Amino acid sequence: MEEYQEFFRIGQYTDGKAMTGCTVILCEDGVTGGVSVRGGSPNTRDTDALKSENNRKFVHGVTLSGGSAFGLAANVGVVEFLEENKIGRDMGITFVPNVVGASLFDLRIGQSDVRPDSQAGRKACEQAFSGQLFQSGNYGAGTGCSVGTINGEKNAMKGGIGLHTMRHEKLWVTAVIAVNAVGDVYDETIGKIIAGARKPGESRVGFSEQLFLEHYQNEQALFDGNTVIGCVMTNATFSKAKMNKLADISHDGIARAIRPAHTTYDGDTLFVLGANQIEASFEAVSILAVEAVRQAIVKGTKAATTYGNYLAYQDIEKNS
């Protein structure tokens, strides 16, 4: 059992036919939350409540979903499930869960008219409470993910969802990231782009930055519809203001793994949840968080499998 499972439950709903899904991170007792939105095209729910100056003290769930703006409906099922299980703020008349979320654009893969709804969110919660093992790649919010879409879907590659935990003695940080970037995925441990934009007749991958530069006078959207979204969990104890700062710094992991990161066409959003179990320096947690995000991105990309024109790293690597 990984350390995060003592405080957090993760569940995933996957529609392999429509190629979409959602991933939920639940914390029954409530934890301190933060968020940072760096992309230019976000789809989010309740992020304002996590601002340091606002009243929201605890978070009970995070929903990561496909389906673009429509996929935010998955949050409704999560809220209803938690209320029925008496998880949330006890208001006397009912329990009100604090659930935040973000969605990514996956409508060009599979069936565009099928998106995660409240039932999808509910099913993901049921899986979380059933002890479902986390699956990387084409699962949950990662089901319809793609990367390197700047050169069109025929020259893009398959993204996915990944999880990675970093540890130092009693301190741990776990990141769950759905990789759906306009740009390319870079693995700095091998110094190589492992997935991204392709060009016809070229065996190598990774042309996103070059294509952006080639089209530098094009002010129109080159290829809309992406977004890297995720959640970082830790057992460290921080104030809400510090959690928001940690969310901000955690985006460094995206910047180290995605080229280019945080574009106008991505809605890159990271939530951070702190279980408030141990004291730790902010710098130590930040170092682990950035690396956890980076490695979760690489893992999710490497675990993805080919769907249609969207070739996966596994197949590119096999044939190289």
Side-chain angles (χ1 to χ4, degrees), residues 7 47 93 106 115 134 228 262 264 317:
F7 307 101
T47 50
I93 53 174
D106 58 3
R115 305 98 179 212
F134 183 86
V228 175
H262 308 125
T264 305
E317 189 69 8

Side-chain angles (χ1 to χ4, degrees), residues 180-219:
N180 193 57
V182 168
D184 307 323
V185 180
Y186 177 75
D187 183 356
E188 66 181 38
T189 58
I190 59 174
K192 178 181 176 182
I193 290 176
I194 60 173
R198 297 176 290 138
K199 285 186 176 181
E202 291 272 0
S203 58
R204 69 183 182 93
V205 302
F207 294 93
S208 291
E209 290 186 327
Q210 178 185 331
L211 290 166
F212 268 110
L213 291 173
E214 288 177 1
H215 294 278
Y216 77 99
Q217 290 185 310
N218 183 359
E219 295 182 359

Side-chain angles (χ1 to χ4, degrees), residues 23 38 66 105 116 151 168 185 199 207 239 315:
T23 301
R38 289 278 194 92
F105 187 96
N151 207 27
H168 181 75
V185 180
K199 285 186 176 181
F207 294 93
S239 66
D315 291 325

